[in-house]
Amino acid sequence: MNTIARTPQDIGTALRNARKSAGYTQKALSERSGIWQETISKIETGTGSAKLDTIFDLCAALDLELNISPRSKGADIALEDIL
Protein backbone atom coordinates (compact mmCIF):
# COMPACT_ATOMS: atom_id res chain seq x y z
CA MET A 1 0.00 0.00 0.00
CA ASN A 2 1.49 3.31 -1.10
CA THR A 3 -0.61 6.35 -0.35
CA ILE A 4 0.13 10.02 -0.87
CA ALA A 5 -1.07 12.03 2.12
CA ARG A 6 -1.10 15.80 1.95
CA THR A 7 -3.69 16.55 4.60
CA PRO A 8 -4.64 15.19 8.02
CA GLN A 9 -7.76 13.74 6.37
CA ASP A 10 -5.56 11.85 3.89
CA ILE A 11 -3.56 10.35 6.76
CA GLY A 12 -6.77 9.37 8.53
CA THR A 13 -8.11 7.70 5.41
CA ALA A 14 -4.83 5.84 4.86
CA LEU A 15 -4.83 4.60 8.46
CA ARG A 16 -8.48 3.51 8.21
CA ASN A 17 -7.79 1.63 4.96
CA ALA A 18 -4.76 -0.08 6.49
CA ARG A 19 -6.73 -0.99 9.63
CA LYS A 20 -9.52 -2.53 7.58
CA SER A 21 -7.06 -4.36 5.31
CA ALA A 22 -5.44 -5.84 8.42
CA GLY A 23 -8.87 -6.98 9.63
CA TYR A 24 -8.84 -4.86 12.80
CA THR A 25 -11.76 -3.05 14.30
CA GLN A 26 -11.06 0.32 15.89
CA LYS A 27 -11.35 -1.40 19.25
CA ALA A 28 -8.78 -4.06 18.27
CA LEU A 29 -6.40 -1.39 16.97
CA SER A 30 -6.91 0.52 20.21
CA GLU A 31 -5.88 -2.51 22.23
CA ARG A 32 -2.92 -3.21 19.94
CA SER A 33 -1.65 0.39 19.89
CA GLY A 34 -2.62 1.69 23.32
CA ILE A 35 -4.46 4.59 21.66
CA TRP A 36 -8.05 5.28 22.75
CA GLN A 37 -10.69 4.10 20.27
CA GLU A 38 -12.27 7.56 20.30
CA THR A 39 -8.94 9.09 19.26
CA ILE A 40 -8.59 6.56 16.42
CA SER A 41 -12.09 7.43 15.23
CA LYS A 42 -11.32 11.17 15.22
CA ILE A 43 -8.06 10.65 13.33
CA GLU A 44 -9.71 8.40 10.75
CA THR A 45 -12.52 10.88 10.10
CA GLY A 46 -10.26 13.93 10.16
CA THR A 47 -12.27 15.56 12.93
CA GLY A 48 -9.50 15.70 15.50
CA SER A 49 -5.87 16.57 15.69
CA ALA A 50 -3.26 14.10 16.83
CA LYS A 51 0.25 14.26 18.15
CA LEU A 52 2.89 12.94 15.80
CA ASP A 53 3.73 10.29 18.41
CA THR A 54 0.15 9.01 18.16
CA ILE A 55 0.40 8.69 14.39
CA PHE A 56 3.67 6.78 14.76
CA ASP A 57 2.11 4.47 17.38
CA LEU A 58 -0.77 3.69 15.02
CA CYS A 59 1.63 3.12 12.13
CA ALA A 60 3.68 0.72 14.26
CA ALA A 61 0.56 -1.18 15.33
CA LEU A 62 -0.42 -1.52 11.67
CA ASP A 63 3.11 -2.46 10.54
CA LEU A 64 3.39 0.75 8.50
CA GLU A 65 6.17 3.28 8.15
CA LEU A 66 6.11 6.93 7.18
CA ASN A 67 8.18 7.96 4.15
CA ILE A 68 8.93 11.60 3.40
CA SER A 69 9.59 12.50 -0.23
CA PRO A 70 9.50 15.56 -2.47
CA ARG A 71 6.03 16.65 -3.51
CA SER A 72 5.01 15.23 -6.86
CA LYS A 73 4.59 17.64 -9.76
CA GLY A 74 1.18 19.03 -10.53
CA ALA A 75 0.08 19.43 -6.92
CA ASP A 76 -1.83 22.69 -6.59
CA ILE A 77 -2.26 22.56 -2.82
CA ALA A 78 -0.41 25.36 -1.05
CA LEU A 79 1.57 24.60 2.09
CA GLU A 80 -0.72 26.97 4.01
CA ASP A 81 -3.73 24.81 3.07
CA ILE A 82 -2.07 21.77 4.64
CA LEU A 83 -1.21 23.45 7.91
Side-chain angles (χ1 to χ4, degrees):
M1 169 178 121
N2 287 323
T3 302
I4 295 175
R6 293 191 172 111
T7 67
Q9 291 80 14
D10 291 343
I11 291 174
T13 298
L15 290 172
R16 180 178 56 242
N17 291 342
R19 174 182 59 78
K20 288 183 175 184
S21 290
Y24 297 131
T25 62
Q26 286 183 349
K27 181 180 178 185
L29 180 57
S30 173
E31 292 168 357
R32 185 174 167 90
S33 66
I35 305 298
W36 290 356
Q37 183 271 325
E38 180 181 351
T39 301
I40 293 169
S41 177
K42 287 180 179 181
I43 291 169
E44 287 186 356
T45 59
T47 58
S49 61
K51 292 184 205 177
L52 194 51
D53 286 345
T54 302
I55 299 299
F56 280 115
D57 288 344
L58 291 172
C59 286
L62 292 166
D63 294 323
L64 300 173
E65 61 187 9
L66 186 64
N67 292 306
I68 305 296
S69 61
R71 185 181 280 274
S72 57
K73 301 291 183 197
D76 292 332
I77 299 173
L79 182 60
E80 294 80 23
D81 293 337
I82 296 170
L83 304 174

